[in-house]
Amino acid sequence: MTTRRKFLTSGVLAAGASTLAAPALAQAPIKWRLQTYAGAALGAEVIKPAIDQFNAIAEGQMEIELYYADQLVPTSELFQAMQRGTIDAVQSDDDSMASPTDVTVFGGYFPFASRYSLDVPVLFNQYGLNEIWAEEYAKVGVKHISAGAWDPCHFATKDPINSLEDLKGKRIFTFPTAGRFLSQFGVVPVTLPWEDIEVAVQTGELDGIAWSGITEVYTVGWANVTNHFLTNNISGAWIGHFFANMDRWNELPPHLQTLVKVCFEQSHYHRQHWYWGGEADLRVNGPKLKLTTIPDAEWAQVEKAAMIFWDEIAAESEVKAKVVSVFKKYNAVMEKAGRPYRYS
């Protein structure tokens, strides 16, 4: 009996008391707010599938709330809002969100830095750009999560562009660095909120757009207000990224950090094939835009000017010089490799 009493008091009852004293508590899910540069129509392809996928796999441990262009803050203020922690994460290029880093000028469309979409992941994963971006953003309290290739940069315009002369005086919505480069050919760069572009072309405030390839021109409605698409491009692929506030990133447990990376990498892959297939299909089957081309001999002037532009940018800082040297090294290898990597 003594043994039985001891078991009841020190065993079963004590264990029950312990259980009642410390009940299991449900942990509240981690919530992030992520804003993209893209409007809702484009965001349906370039970001929403990845966010939906992440939230499903996270199973309540974490939820990412998605906001489209300018919903929480203007695109030009995305970096500051993320740095302050007003929002937790961003999908954008460096250029559009006015990042205060030495690599900002290379975001979006740095002229002729890439010829094809696969160039971008190779440059970041095999030629050292990931490490450069990570270091530069860590200096300003931001986690660079990953970079990916998006669409090429072409002109969609009301009037046809058949020569460099036709570019003169054209008011074009484009990225800051692309605008800086194109201004030497008479282009007048215009900055407006992304959602206002279609109306601005309709009203004549803009003559055209140099913001994307033909897939995006159709997807977001710009093909409804422009008439022509120039087949020459100043870049074969946009460089876009995912970023996060560094404190928010460091608060995540390792398995959720990994899940974020995997889902965002899948997003890069989805965009790459979505854009690539659309660029070909809509040139051939798209019913709204007439294709025009500036002859190769004349377009060579633009390519030559880009190399001068690269050297001008490289002279501005050691970091910029380092990035430009990577572009030069990579392009030299591609030129020597020949088809299908580069065409002479």
Side-chain angles (χ1 to χ4, degrees), residues 73-126:
V73 298
T75 297
S76 61
E77 297 176 15
L78 277 176
F79 177 86
Q80 293 178 354
M82 175 175 51
Q83 188 183 44
R84 291 192 305 264
T86 305
I87 55 179
D88 304 294
V90 165
Q91 179 201 40
S92 180
D93 66 283
D94 319 72
D95 215 10
S96 297
M97 70 177 189
S99 165
T101 71
D102 263 4
V103 296
T104 296
V105 70
F106 304 108
Y109 295 118
F110 192 66
F112 298 102
S114 65
R115 303 296 181 122
Y116 307 104
S117 58
L118 277 173
D119 289 343
V120 175
V122 172
L123 282 162
F124 275 83
N125 293 297
Q126 297 185 27

Side-chain angles (χ1 to χ4, degrees), residues 29 59 62 64 90-91 96 124 164 194 283 299 325 327 331:
E59 293 186 323
M62 180 173 171
I64 299 177
V90 165
Q91 179 201 40
S96 297
F124 275 83
L164 293 181
W194 191 90
R283 286 191 188 199
W299 191 249
S325 71
F327 287 148
N331 276 277

Side-chain angles (χ1 to χ4, degrees), residues 3-266:
T3 303
R4 184 179 177 188
R5 288 191 188 99
K6 285 182 178 180
F7 171 76
L8 288 172
T9 56
S10 64
V12 175
L13 295 179
S18 174
T19 303
L20 292 172
L25 298 177
Q27 187 172 351
I30 299 167
K31 285 190 179 284
W32 270 18
R33 299 198 298 175
L34 182 152
Q35 183 171 312
T36 175
Y37 78 99
L42 181 62
E45 290 289 348
V46 304
I47 181 64
K48 191 175 185 300
I51 299 303
D52 290 345
Q53 183 184 52
F54 176 88
N55 289 337
I57 299 172
E59 293 186 323
Q61 294 182 48
M62 180 173 171
E63 179 184 356
I64 299 177
E65 298 174 349
L66 175 62
Y67 296 88
Y68 296 109
D70 306 315
Q71 281 193 325
L72 296 179
V73 298
T75 297
S76 61
E77 297 176 15
L78 277 176
F79 177 86
Q80 293 178 354
M82 175 175 51
Q83 188 183 44
R84 291 192 305 264
T86 305
I87 55 179
D88 304 294
V90 165
Q91 179 201 40
S92 180
D93 66 283
D94 319 72
D95 215 10
S96 297
M97 70 177 189
S99 165
T101 71
D102 263 4
V103 296
T104 296
V105 70
F106 304 108
Y109 295 118
F110 192 66
F112 298 102
S114 65
R115 303 296 181 122
Y116 307 104
S117 58
L118 277 173
D119 289 343
V120 175
V122 172
L123 282 162
F124 275 83
N125 293 297
Q126 297 185 27
Y127 279 73
L129 293 192
N130 265 333
E131 290 73 18
I132 296 173
W133 258 249
E135 182 177 351
E136 291 304 302
Y137 277 96
K139 293 176 183 177
V140 291
V142 167
K143 168 68 177 179
H144 176 254
I145 298 173
S146 63
W150 304 14
D151 54 338
C153 184
H154 293 260
F155 285 85
T157 54
K158 287 183 173 180
D159 299 326
I161 304 296
N162 295 300
S163 69
L164 293 181
E165 184 68 24
D166 292 336
L167 291 175
K168 292 183 178 178
K170 293 292 189 293
R171 294 160 297 178
I172 301 294
F173 172 65
T174 190
F175 292 84
T177 299
R180 174 180 168 184
F181 172 68
L182 291 168
S183 62
Q184 65 186 289
F185 301 102
V187 170
V188 180
V190 179
T191 301
L192 291 170
W194 191 90
E195 295 286 358
D196 294 345
I197 302 310
E198 185 173 348
V199 173
V201 176
Q202 286 178 308
T203 61
E205 186 178 355
L206 289 172
D207 298 304
I209 301 148
W211 179 270
S212 69
I214 199 168
T215 307
E216 192 164 321
V217 172
Y218 271 85
T219 300
V220 304
W222 295 338
N224 299 328
V225 295
T226 54
N227 303 310
H228 302 275
F229 182 83
L230 183 65
T231 60
N232 312 78
N233 68 56
I234 66 163
S235 174
W238 192 54
I239 302 176
H241 309 265
F242 287 100
F243 305 92
N245 175 280
M246 188 67 81
D247 290 338
R248 298 292 83 74
W249 177 260
N250 289 336
E251 289 168 1
L252 294 182
H255 74 286
L256 288 179
Q257 289 181 348
T258 299
L259 183 58
V260 168
K261 290 179 181 178
V262 169
C263 289
F264 288 173
E265 196 64 33
Q266 174 64 23

